[in-house]
Amino acid sequence: MAEDIESKTKRVRDLLSSFYADEDEHAQSSPTLTRRDTLQAINTKDFDADRYMTSLVRRTNLDGLLQKDVEMAAEIKNLDSDMQMLVYENYNKFISATDTIRRMKENIGGMESNVERLLEKVTAVRTKSDGVNASLFERRERIEELNGTRGLLRKVQFVFDLPVRLRKCLKAEVYADAVNSYKGALPILKAYGNTSFQKCKQESDEMIEKVTRQLQSRAVLSTETVENRAEAVRLLQELNYPVEQIMEEFLAGELERLSCTLKEILCLSGDGVFDAKTENHSPRSTIQILSKDFFTDFRQSASAFRGIFPTGEKKFTMAATKLFNDYLASIQKSLVPENGDPSAKGLITVLKILSTDVPQMDGVLPDADFSELALQAAEAALRQHVAKRFKGVCDKLLGIIIVANNSKFSESVEPCSDTEKPLESLLLNAEDIILQGSLDVLRDLKELVDDRVKDTTKWHSLYVELVQGGVQDLFVTLNTHFLDMFCSTGYENPKQDKFTEENKRKIAVSTGTILLLARFSMYVEKVAVPKITEEIARSFVGGGARGPEDRPAFIPTEICRLFRATGERLIEHYISMQSKRLSTLIKKSVTTPNWLKYKEPREVRMFVDLLLQEVGTMSREVKQLLDPGTVRTHGRSDSTGSAGSSRSNPLREERSGRTSVSQRARSRLLERDIAKLFKQKIEIFTKLEFTQTSVISTVIKLCLKSFQEYVRLETFSRSGFQQIQVDTQYLREALRDFVYDEAIVHFLLDEVCSSAAERCLDPTPFESAVLDKLIQAKKAKIAESSATQAF
Amino acid sequence: MQGGSAYGVKYQARCISTVAADTQQTVFLVGTLSLREQNEVHLIKYSASTGDVACEGLYSHAHEIWDLANCPFDPLIFSTVYASAGDFGASVWRIPEHSKRTNQLEKLADLSGHTKRIKCIDWSPNGREHSKLLSIDEEALYVWDLDVNGSSVQVDKRIAPGVLYHMTKGAWDPHDLEIIATVSDSCVQFWDLRSSKQAHSLESAHAHDLDFDPQREHFFATAGDASQIHIWDKRKLGRSLLELPGHSHWTWRVQYNPKCSDILLSSGTDSLVNLWTIASIHEDTDGGRSPEDSPKAHADPLLRSYNGHEDSVYGIAWSLKEPWIFASLSYDGRVLVDSVPQHIVKQIKAGTHGG
């Protein structure tokens, strides 16, 4: 049954909805339907019943009609029941709606009375409240007034109580309360202090004065705990008390205390000279200890200060920076003993201190950039150290040179014997200094590299550069100095303008010194530089982080080249100095006598002795300093040209071709040339070597050549010529001792003799017997005088 | 022209001089120095076309000739300084006409009055008939007025610096004819003829010879027994502008090329004749050259060394006609005429045209 009802209601709903909704659809589709199939369009509006009937009748047979009829009757029945149902439904709904409306009507009627009652009550409340308000209005102002007065009175009471309270606080040392109270009362006291509360103000001011004093003393007192002091300072600050003053006092005190430590360090450096001699380790370790002390003190002070004066950071940083700078300065000073070489150990210690302790300081005072300062200081110390070490070597060498120069003068006053070899010892000394000194320095500096202090890795390349540059500088300085000395002996001082400073203290440089320098230059080039290069290569590699514009680091080849050039110049200069000296002697001997009125020669002239003495001195000098060199005689293979009395420098000869000599001229010269052809060919101007032989014989060759030239400028009588003959004959034997190559002496002296003969009006030579007699007489005389000297 | 030509004088000789007044040909005068023989003056001509040196005239001279100088305006006139066996003197000579076929020189004047041995004579560069001569003895310098036509000579000035200075050489400044330079043992002095006073001096310069730059004022060169050659600026005597190594022994003579001041010729007792370039100093002083040229300045200043001689070379003379030709005379009497190498001449010419 239930299903039946349900399906029924559903059907009803469908119908209703089709009734209301489909109307439009049917209206639209109806025209086409009518036309096409009227039979089908029974549900449309335009359904024509008659036409439907006729068409139905026409098309359908009887059975069909009957069936249709049945169908239709059923449909009609259905439709009827549906309609009935719909009507019923509609009615139901209408009924319920009516019921609802009626109920609503009843409810509203009950509410109205309630609302009216409410209104009444509200009106009553209002009137009552109005009444209360009106009655209270008068009193209210008065109460508020009274309330204010009460507060005021309380405050006044507080102010009046202030001195008492402060006193209490003072007694109980509760300064914070005192300050708070005072600060609370302060506006009133300020406003009425001069009038109503005068006494009160005075009293409380006094009290607060006392409090301030107490606080002050507490703040300054170093025995108080940091917290107490900090509180005191804070309170003082609240009281507008000038805290800066206390701060400064505090700082000054701290500074003084720390400076004491610094002074100790300084003292230590002053005493370091003595200490270093007695016990080597103590001063350094003391520095270490002192530095440690200093740093701990400093840290303490810093933290104390921080605690006490949290606002004074800036000032403190300033003071600390100053202090630290002082510290660095004194540390640096302590590194430099007044004499003697600073050693790397001290430097290492200090660098360690700087690299380990200073970062701690950084922790205390990050603003001050101490590590930056320390880095700078350390770098400066490094530079200073390296420079100092090299300067030490350089100074020693220059000292040697000066000694050499001075000793030379004394030597010329009292001719020393062969056994004394001052120059040789000086040379050895100098060689030792340059080599050992430099190597020592390098080793010493090496310690620093080996002993890798924390930050030295950063400095490593810098340091290597410094060291290399130092070596380079050392050599360059030496070289310049040598050249300066060379210039100061140059006969025209061609660099006068440039080296005015040098000229002020210009010293006459002796020949020995020049030779010493020449030899020394050679030594530097041959031995010292390679060894030092080796040492550097072993210990100081790297350091290539230099810009190209900077000074080049140690370049051994350049140094070698420099010193070779300098050595050659110096030795040439030595030769020219010596030969000039000897030439002057010869010149005097040749130009002063009046050869035309010369008397018959009786003995060898004095100048020969002088000449030999000079040659002797020179040869001693040379023998002390130079290698002996090879002994060689001039053979045919040595000479480069054809017959010649004086051949040219073989170097120069290469540049020019032989000039062709015409046959005619040759025939005229033939006679003289043939005579020369039979003489041994002699190379006068040979290439110079750094040997005794080469140097001595070059000097002698040059001066004998000068002898010849001077002789050519004179005109001799027979006696004059004979005198020259005697002199040269004596020289022949005497010079043999000095020159290893006799032939050249013979040749040159022959040239002198023949020149004299050419310039002689009557060139009759002495007979050899007479000549021999004179020579023997001279020899005997020399032997005698040397014998008397010996005894 | 690369090879030199030679000419032999019989005797030893020290002096050679260019006949400056002869503009047609290159002629040199050589005076011999023979103590015991009759001395000669050779007039030799260099022919540029054949490269031969030939004797044009041979004249006898009684004494040893220690110095010989040519008159700047008359090719036939020259002066000699002579000395032999204690006798000394200086004379002005005229070479006889070729047609006379004589070997006797005509003496125009004697420069008498010297008390010491005369060292050298220098003719005032711009003289005419009334020429001025400078003669130097060891202790004094004389300036003479010479009238060539009237054959008269008079002392115009005598300046004696003192016994201490042994003067050896003197020269007129070609740019200021009132200035004379003298070279003595220890110094070079400059004399102002107007005031007869010393104008400048260059102390401690041991010089044998001095030559003024013919082209550029103030510059001069000295050579001495310290063997170096120095170039100086008269205004800055404090230090030399340039130092050349010179010779292995003494440098005896130094002479500027008459046409090109960058070329210097020197001779020395090491029997060499050296040719130098000193272009570097002029580059510096002119300041006009660009720095790219400066490497040249550091090149070897020695252009060429002529080693044809076998004895000390005491005399050199540039030809005036052919500015790249020069003659040198060694003590053994050999005259060699050489030329500046062709490539150097080209370089110089290019340089002067370029600049």
Side-chain angles (χ1 to χ4, degrees):
Chain A
M1 273 302 277
E3 274 181 19
D4 200 27
I5 290 170
E6 212 170 89
S7 64
K8 218 177 192 174
T9 49
K10 196 182 174 224
R11 196 158 51 97
V12 168
R13 208 182 298 134
D14 285 347
L15 283 172
L16 276 173
S17 67
S18 68
F19 177 75
Y20 290 112
D22 285 351
E23 203 158 335
D24 288 342
E25 278 178 30
H26 288 292
Q28 276 173 355
S29 59
S30 58
T32 49
L33 280 175
T34 29
R35 245 175 245 162
R36 235 183 255 164
D37 194 359
T38 26
L39 285 182
Q40 303 282 315
I42 198 162
N43 282 337
T44 58
K45 230 180 208 174
D46 300 333
F47 180 66
D48 191 344
D50 291 336
R51 267 183 71 196
Y52 181 75
M53 270 308 294
T54 47
S55 70
L56 196 67
V57 169
R58 222 180 4 195
R59 282 185 202 171
T60 328
N61 54 9
L62 188 59
D63 287 344
L65 282 174
L66 281 176
Q67 200 181 337
K68 196 81 189 173
D69 177 55
V70 173
E71 274 173 24
M72 279 207 153
E75 274 181 21
I76 287 166
K77 230 177 191 173
N78 258 347
L79 284 172
D80 264 349
S81 67
D82 280 352
M83 192 144 29
Q84 216 168 356
M85 204 163 58
L86 281 173
V87 168
Y88 178 70
E89 282 282 313
N90 275 349
Y91 182 73
N92 254 358
K93 276 178 186 160
F94 179 73
I95 293 296
S96 64
T98 326
D99 283 352
T100 311
I101 289 166
R102 194 189 304 132
R103 225 174 22 248
M104 276 168 70
K105 228 178 204 170
E106 279 167 13
N107 285 350
I108 288 170
M111 223 150 79
E112 196 170 338
S113 62
N114 283 346
V115 170
E116 263 171 24
R117 236 181 18 242
L118 185 68
L119 189 65
E120 261 171 43
K121 277 180 185 165
V122 167
T123 319
V125 168
R126 199 176 158 188
T127 45
K128 275 176 188 167
S129 105
D130 278 355
V132 170
N133 256 358
S135 56
L136 280 179
F137 186 72
E138 283 175 28
R139 297 263 178 86
R140 193 185 292 147
E141 272 182 19
R142 173 114 183 95
I143 288 166
E144 272 169 12
E145 209 173 288
L146 285 173
N147 219 3
T149 316
R150 186 165 151 264
L152 194 62
L153 281 173
R154 209 183 281 156
K155 274 187 198 162
V156 170
Q157 179 66 39
F158 178 80
V159 172
F160 276 117
D161 286 347
L162 189 62
V164 183
R165 190 175 303 177
L166 287 179
R167 202 166 291 137
K168 263 187 205 161
C169 288
L170 194 58
K171 265 184 194 162
E173 296 193 340
V174 193
Y175 301 118
D177 287 355
V179 171
N180 277 339
S181 318
Y182 181 73
K183 271 189 82 179
L186 202 59
I188 297 173
L189 285 177
K190 260 194 190 148
Y192 307 103
N194 294 328
T195 50
S196 359
F197 297 110
Q198 200 160 12
K199 201 185 164 206
C200 180
K201 183 177 188 262
Q202 273 172 6
E203 268 179 44
S204 51
D205 276 355
E206 273 167 30
M207 289 319 291
I208 214 72
E209 193 91 348
K210 273 182 196 165
V211 168
T212 312
R213 246 177 277 133
Q214 285 288 333
L215 282 174
Q216 209 175 320
S217 62
R218 184 185 275 196
V220 173
L221 210 60
S222 54
T223 46
E224 284 289 338
T225 60
V226 174
E227 287 81 25
N228 280 345
R229 293 174 74 181
E231 198 196 0
V233 169
R234 187 180 55 76
L235 291 175
L236 282 173
Q237 218 162 12
E238 276 182 29
L239 286 175
N240 283 339
Y241 185 82
V243 191
E244 279 77 14
Q245 201 182 325
I246 301 173
M247 189 155 73
E248 263 156 36
E249 273 168 29
F250 176 83
L251 273 180
E254 290 297 310
L255 277 180
E256 202 179 335
R257 199 161 59 81
L258 289 168
S259 297
C260 280
T261 327
L262 288 186
K263 265 179 202 145
E264 275 176 64
I265 295 177
L266 264 183
C267 287
L268 204 101
S269 69
D271 295 341
V273 187
F274 307 104
D275 287 13
K277 277 177 190 162
T278 50
E279 34 186 340
N280 241 333
H281 306 291
S282 71
R284 297 296 164 220
S285 50
T286 333
I287 276 195
Q288 221 164 346
I289 291 166
L290 283 175
S291 299
K292 282 251 152 67
D293 286 355
F294 173 75
F295 283 126
T296 12
D297 279 1
F298 188 84
R299 266 201 299 280
Q300 275 169 7
S301 304
S303 58
F305 185 89
R306 281 278 168 61
I308 298 167
F309 308 101
T311 51
E313 190 70 40
K314 213 165 149 192
K315 245 187 185 142
F316 180 66
T317 311
M318 260 160 62
T321 313
K322 185 182 166 292
L323 189 70
F324 193 69
N325 279 333
D326 283 354
Y327 165 74
L328 288 177
S330 54
I331 281 282
Q332 248 169 35
K333 223 176 239 173
S334 78
L335 274 178
V336 186
E338 273 149 35
N339 54 27
D341 285 337
S343 84
K345 275 190 191 125
L347 186 67
I348 292 172
T349 323
V350 171
L351 286 183
K352 269 186 181 157
I353 294 170
L354 289 180
S355 59
T356 53
D357 297 352
V358 172
Q360 295 176 16
M361 301 266 290
D362 245 5
V364 180
L365 262 180
D367 289 350
D369 251 355
F370 280 147
S371 43
E372 189 60 34
L373 281 174
L375 265 177
Q376 282 169 8
E379 200 186 312
L382 263 178
R383 281 182 196 283
Q384 193 189 356
H385 181 73
V386 172
K388 181 101 184 162
R389 290 308 307 249
F390 284 114
K391 197 170 175 301
V393 176
C394 192
D395 284 349
K396 270 190 202 159
L397 274 173
L398 296 185
I400 289 269
I401 289 163
I402 288 165
V403 167
N405 208 16
N406 292 338
S407 74
K408 176 60 198 155
F409 289 131
S410 61
E411 195 192 9
S412 61
V413 175
E414 34 177 313
C416 66
S417 61
D418 269 348
T419 48
E420 287 178 53
K421 291 181 173 174
L423 284 174
E424 188 175 18
S425 63
L426 281 172
L427 175 67
L428 289 177
N429 210 344
E431 288 180 353
D432 189 54
I433 286 175
I434 188 72
L435 188 61
Q436 285 311 317
S438 314
L439 289 183
D440 280 352
V441 168
L442 287 178
R443 262 174 222 134
D444 178 62
L445 295 174
K446 190 171 161 248
E447 280 181 33
L448 199 69
V449 177
D450 294 344
D451 201 333
R452 266 171 210 278
V453 188
K454 198 174 108 199
D455 276 332
T456 41
T457 40
K458 207 184 334 176
W459 295 334
H460 183 75
S461 71
L462 170 78
Y463 184 66
V464 167
E465 267 168 44
L466 273 178
V467 170
Q468 292 198 359
V471 174
Q472 178 89 358
D473 271 359
L474 171 71
F475 284 117
V476 169
T477 314
L478 281 178
N479 192 47
T480 342
H481 191 81
F482 289 178
L483 284 180
D484 283 355
M485 290 188 87
F486 164 74
C487 283
S488 68
T489 58
Y491 82 112
E492 259 145 345
N493 293 322
K495 299 198 170 135
Q496 233 164 12
D497 299 345
K498 267 189 190 168
F499 294 96
T500 41
E501 196 186 331
E502 189 71 23
N503 277 4
K504 270 180 208 160
R505 51 182 197 86
K506 192 177 104 185
I507 33 163
V509 180
S510 67
T511 51
T513 316
I514 292 289
L515 190 63
L516 179 75
L517 293 181
R519 181 66 181 73
F520 182 66
S521 301
M522 208 173 81
Y523 178 79
V524 167
E525 182 218 332
K526 294 257 158 64
V527 183
V529 169
K531 281 204 176 155
I532 288 168
T533 312
E534 215 174 274
E535 182 68 26
I536 284 186
R538 202 181 303 140
S539 328
F540 299 100
V541 258
R546 171 191 298 98
E549 76 282 349
D550 213 351
R551 184 196 53 205
F554 182 54
I555 307 169
T557 48
E558 189 194 310
I559 296 295
C560 279
R561 194 176 48 73
L562 267 179
F563 272 91
R564 186 161 51 239
T566 309
E568 274 166 17
R569 279 187 73 177
L570 284 168
I571 198 96
E572 271 170 24
H573 188 60
Y574 176 75
I575 284 168
S576 99
M577 277 171 88
Q578 287 289 10
S579 61
K580 215 194 285 173
R581 217 156 73 175
L582 298 177
S583 296
T584 316
L585 261 176
I586 292 168
K587 184 183 179 183
K588 285 236 171 69
S589 80
V590 176
T591 51
T592 35
N594 186 346
W595 293 107
L596 288 170
K597 291 173 186 162
Y598 205 75
K599 283 176 192 142
E600 181 134 349
R602 308 222 162 159
E603 52 172 12
V604 179
R605 284 189 296 158
M606 274 298 287
F607 96 91
V608 176
D609 292 333
L610 287 172
L611 186 69
L612 289 174
Q613 195 181 310
E614 284 289 333
V615 171
T617 317
M618 176 191 81
S619 120
R620 267 198 301 282
E621 271 177 12
V622 171
K623 275 181 182 156
Q624 281 180 57
L625 295 176
L626 293 182
D627 302 327
T630 52
V631 179
R632 56 168 199 160
T633 50
H634 276 285
R636 261 181 186 274
S637 58
D638 285 334
S639 93
T640 48
S642 64
S645 60
S646 44
R647 289 303 321 161
S648 54
N649 189 332
L651 278 183
R652 284 189 182 158
E653 196 168 33
E654 288 162 17
R655 291 185 195 147
S656 57
R658 284 278 293 149
T659 49
S660 74
V661 181
S662 76
Q663 199 59 44
R664 189 164 57 98
R666 190 173 277 282
S667 68
R668 287 197 186 177
L669 293 167
L670 197 62
E671 201 182 324
R672 209 155 38 217
D673 283 351
I674 285 174
K676 280 179 179 170
L677 271 174
F678 287 100
K679 288 185 189 169
Q680 199 181 17
K681 282 150 204 132
I682 295 297
E683 198 71 36
I684 293 188
F685 304 107
T686 45
K687 184 147 169 45
L688 194 57
E689 288 161 21
F690 267 92
T691 58
Q692 289 173 16
T693 343
S694 176
V695 169
I696 295 177
S697 57
T698 308
V699 171
I700 289 177
K701 275 189 281 187
L702 282 175
C703 78
L704 289 181
K705 177 71 184 161
S706 300
F707 196 179
Q708 183 195 359
E709 292 296 334
Y710 286 126
V711 163
R712 278 182 176 179
L713 288 169
E714 299 296 327
T715 310
F716 297 90
S717 67
R718 188 180 65 189
S719 302
F721 165 59
Q722 286 171 345
Q723 179 67 65
I724 296 288
Q725 207 189 347
V726 171
D727 292 346
T728 49
Q729 188 61 35
Y730 182 68
L731 277 176
R732 242 174 247 273
E733 285 190 36
L735 284 179
R736 198 188 297 160
D737 300 339
F738 297 110
V739 183
Y740 295 89
D741 184 10
E742 279 178 52
I744 193 129
V745 174
H746 285 307
F747 170 76
L748 282 165
L749 287 171
D750 282 347
E751 283 280 308
V752 172
C753 264
S754 66
S755 293
E758 280 166 4
R759 296 299 310 155
C760 181
L761 294 167
D762 177 17
T764 318
F766 259 145
E767 285 176 23
S768 56
V770 187
L771 201 61
D772 268 356
K773 212 180 83 190
L774 284 176
I775 302 294
Q776 290 309 323
K778 177 73 179 175
K779 274 184 184 165
K781 203 174 156 192
I782 294 287
E784 195 184 314
S785 67
S786 64
T788 49
Q789 261 180 9
F791 290 111
Chain B
M1 277 236 310
Q2 280 300 311
S5 315
Y7 177 81
V9 179
K10 241 196 291 177
Y11 310 116
Q12 288 167 334
R14 277 183 175 268
C15 39
I16 185 166
S17 166
T18 309
V19 181
D22 195 335
T23 52
Q24 304 304 312
Q25 49 197 353
T26 298
V27 184
F28 300 102
L29 273 178
V30 179
T32 64
L33 188 80
S34 172
L35 197 60
R36 295 184 292 273
E37 316 281 339
Q38 179 76 8
N39 281 289
E40 295 162 345
V41 173
H42 290 246
L43 183 68
I44 53 175
K45 194 179 116 184
Y46 172 77
S47 155
S49 50
T50 60
D52 271 346
V53 183
C55 181
E56 286 282 295
L58 186 67
Y59 310 99
S60 64
H61 189 277
H63 305 281
E64 286 184 297
I65 300 167
W66 286 88
D67 188 43
L68 189 150
N70 270 93
C71 176
F73 53 88
D74 188 335
L76 294 179
I77 295 177
F78 66 97
S79 65
T80 58
V81 172
Y82 56 88
S84 46
D87 192 15
F88 60 83
S91 300
V92 180
W93 307 90
R94 188 200 295 274
I95 298 172
E97 293 292 327
H98 203 62
S99 56
K100 283 185 185 167
R101 303 198 136 289
T102 170
N103 67 345
Q104 291 303 312
L105 292 165
E106 182 192 343
K107 185 185 273 187
L108 287 181
D110 263 329
L111 305 182
S112 54
H114 280 281
T115 52
K116 292 281 171 185
R117 199 171 142 182
I118 304 168
K119 291 291 189 180
C120 84
I121 286 180
D122 196 31
W123 293 71
S124 172
N126 72 340
R128 282 289 166 248
E129 267 88 56
H130 292 277
S131 180
K132 283 194 190 257
L133 251 77
L134 166 73
S135 69
I136 303 252
D137 68 21
E138 281 173 356
E139 286 173 9
L141 63 93
Y142 290 72
V143 178
W144 307 84
D145 263 333
L146 174 71
D147 184 353
V148 178
N149 296 328
S151 302
S152 70
V153 69
Q154 281 176 337
V155 177
D156 181 47
K157 282 229 166 59
R158 178 181 184 275
I159 301 170
V163 191
L164 288 174
Y165 299 97
H166 284 270
M167 291 191 288
T168 55
K169 182 92 210 275
W172 296 89
D173 185 340
H175 303 286
D176 183 353
L177 295 175
E178 298 297 329
I179 297 288
I180 281 170
T182 61
V183 178
S184 56
D185 274 357
S186 58
C187 63
V188 176
Q189 288 162 302
F190 293 89
W191 303 93
D192 193 332
L193 291 181
R194 287 160 290 209
S195 62
S196 304
K197 294 253 167 62
Q198 178 180 314
H200 320 278
S201 77
L202 179 59
E203 298 296 335
S204 69
H206 298 274
H208 281 305
D209 196 19
L210 173 146
D211 193 37
F212 281 102
D213 190 328
Q215 307 291 329
R216 290 171 224 247
E217 206 176 341
H218 305 302
F219 292 102
F220 65 97
T222 61
D225 54 8
S227 80
Q228 292 100 339
I229 299 166
H230 288 96
I231 312 294
W232 304 87
D233 185 337
K234 215 165 70 183
R235 296 158 296 185
K236 289 179 272 181
L237 289 177
R239 80 182 255 240
S240 71
L241 300 173
L242 187 68
E243 183 184 310
L244 302 171
H247 293 259
S248 309
H249 195 232
W250 302 345
T251 306
W252 193 264
R253 280 276 174 268
V254 59
Q255 257 188 26
Y256 280 98
N257 182 295
K259 292 288 186 287
C260 171
S261 300
D262 291 345
I263 297 291
L264 210 63
L265 192 68
S266 73
S267 72
T269 49
D270 60 352
S271 66
L272 291 179
V273 176
N274 286 345
L275 189 68
W276 308 91
T277 173
I278 52 165
S280 57
I281 60 158
H282 294 307
E283 275 167 25
D284 291 348
T285 48
D286 289 353
R289 300 280 179 96
S290 51
E292 300 97 277
D293 290 340
S294 56
K296 267 200 222 160
H298 302 299
D300 192 351
L302 181 69
L303 293 174
R304 180 157 176 200
S305 197
Y306 299 86
N307 62 349
H309 289 290
E310 317 226 306
D311 205 340
S312 307
V313 184
Y314 297 121
I316 43 174
W318 285 99
S319 157
L320 285 178
K321 170 77 176 18
E322 308 266 338
W324 310 114
I325 298 291
F326 63 87
S328 56
L329 171 68
S330 62
Y331 190 58
D332 55 12
R334 178 186 285 182
V335 178
L336 287 179
V337 179
D338 284 288
S339 57
V340 178
Q342 211 61 42
H343 68 274
I344 296 169
V345 174
K346 269 181 198 157
Q347 261 178 28
I348 292 164
K349 281 182 175 162
T352 48
H353 289 308

